[in-house]
Amino acid sequence: MAIFITGGARSGKSGFGEAYAMKLSGHGIYIATAQSWDDEMKERTARHRSMRERSGYRWRTIEEPLALAELLGELEREQNDGGERPAVLVDCLTLWLTNWLLRLDAGKQGDGDQDTGTYGELHAEADKLTAAVAAYTGPLLLVTNEVGSGIVPAYPLGRRFRDEAGRLNRKLAATCEEAYLVVAGIPLDLKKHAFRLEED
């Protein structure tokens, strides 16, 4: 069962994801997509890991900034042994997207039309991830950020990130069985309250 969790910064989405994971299984796998580029990020990552360890819940942490689809495929294969499946929590999709954008953008500097190269490759990675999520049969929680509700970014890469994050979130929310928007610490069940045109 795949579960999509979105919300703004400090909305409580990660905490909700962790609490939900604890209800779904007696142990979990925490997939961290962040890359620690500076001391502040290293300290933040260490603090979050320490909080998980103190929770009393058995987390196994895997750091994977890019090969998320491949990792989910590996976990699907290794966990099909008949025992209790761990709850897999990915935190977060927008950091994964950032990692790919920065990697592809750096590789395409001065190469002409980036839309046909860089972003075609990015969309292929997003499709690969969507397929891996659809194929995963254990409890899977995907945390992401809702980034399109503010001002339009002032620079091209920022605008591209906003657009690609919106596309990725739509694609994965449609793939998941459940979808939640966390606002001020309150999770709202999006699919339960969704308006469906075909019912009108």
Side-chain angles (χ1 to χ4, degrees):
M1 176 177 68
I3 300 161
F4 181 86
I5 302 168
T6 189
R10 294 289 172 267
S11 62
K13 59 190 181 297
S14 293
F16 171 66
E18 291 176 20
Y20 199 167
M22 293 175 190
K23 287 187 172 293
L24 295 173
S25 178
H27 60 116
I29 297 174
Y30 189 100
I31 301 176
T33 60
Q35 297 188 83
S36 299
W37 298 111
D38 53 43
D39 290 340
E40 188 274 337
M41 195 63 180
K42 289 175 185 173
E43 182 182 327
R44 182 187 295 242
T45 300
R47 186 170 64 249
H48 287 178
R49 185 188 288 263
S50 176
M51 287 171 61
R52 289 195 301 275
E53 290 170 355
R54 290 198 311 269
S55 72
Y57 185 71
R58 186 158 49 97
W59 287 109
R60 169 187 165 202
T61 300
I62 301 174
E63 295 182 2
E64 182 46 67
L66 293 166
L68 202 46
E70 291 81 359
L71 177 57
L72 289 177
E74 290 171 17
L75 292 175
E76 175 69 14
R77 290 187 292 275
E78 78 177 40
Q79 299 299 330
N80 267 328
D81 58 4
E84 184 187 32
R85 300 285 297 270
V88 174
L89 174 62
V90 176
D91 197 356
C92 73
L93 294 176
T94 37
L95 281 174
W96 173 84
L97 176 65
T98 298
N99 297 336
W100 271 108
L101 272 172
L102 293 176
R103 179 182 184 185
L104 294 171
D105 189 68
K108 295 290 182 178
Q109 291 295 328
D111 278 4
D113 186 359
Q114 292 188 346
D115 282 338
T116 58
T118 302
Y119 299 113
E121 194 171 346
L122 180 65
H123 296 159
E125 288 296 329
D127 288 344
K128 220 163 57 170
L129 176 58
T130 303
V133 168
Y136 196 81
T137 57
L140 174 63
L141 301 98
L142 306 171
V143 175
T144 189
N145 286 278
E146 206 59 37
V147 299
S149 300
I151 62 172
V152 177
Y155 52 96
L157 189 58
R159 291 192 292 274
R160 176 61 73 169
F161 167 75
R162 180 202 60 175
D163 293 348
E164 297 298 346
R167 290 187 185 102
L168 180 67
N169 284 350
R170 286 172 59 187
K171 186 175 291 192
L172 286 169
T175 302
C176 293
E177 287 90 340
E178 298 178 15
Y180 297 91
L181 170 66
V182 183
V183 181
I186 301 170
L188 307 172
D189 188 333
L190 296 175
K191 297 215 173 186
K192 182 178 178 181
H193 297 287
F195 174 75
R196 292 173 176 81
L197 287 171
E198 63 273 15
E199 294 178 358
D200 203 24

